[in-house]
């Protein structure tokens, strides 16, 4: 994965699961992302789900990646 703190990403289309590295707690990442305006959810103790709308823009994806980099890294 190109995102530090993420072991691997799986899924199809825009529905993705990101498995967190080094025992990171998905619930902590979810709460920190929510506090910064990004909604993701914890599907396991170490996996977060990303499910953006089909009309998501490239700028919104860039913003989401920046938020995730901040809260995971």
């Amino acid at each position: 994965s190109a995102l530090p703190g993420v072991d691997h990403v799986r899924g199809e289309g825009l529905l993705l699961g990101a498995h967190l590295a080094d025992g990171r707690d998905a619930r902590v990442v979810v709460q920190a992302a929510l506090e910064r305006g990004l909604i993701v959810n914890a599907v396991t103790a170490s996996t977060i789900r990303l499910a953006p709308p089909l009309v998501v823009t490239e700028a919104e994806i860039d913003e989401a990646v920046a938020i995730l980099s901040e809260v995971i890294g």
Side-chain angles (χ1 to χ4, degrees):
S1 169
L3 191 62
V6 175
D7 271 339
H8 61 275
V9 177
R10 61 185 181 274
E12 292 203 26
L14 293 177
L15 184 59
L16 301 172
H19 185 266
L20 305 176
D22 304 324
R24 287 177 169 85
D25 187 341
R27 293 170 298 174
V28 172
V29 171
V30 166
Q31 185 60 40
L34 185 58
E35 290 170 0
R36 290 162 179 79
L38 179 64
I39 299 173
V40 296
N41 64 330
V43 293
T44 71
S46 60
T47 302
I48 59 171
R49 180 182 325 170
L50 299 100
L54 294 176
V55 294
V56 68
T57 66
E58 189 173 341
E60 290 167 330
I61 291 172
D62 290 343
E63 182 179 0
V65 169
I67 291 169
L68 288 173
S69 292
E70 180 183 339
V71 301
I72 294 172

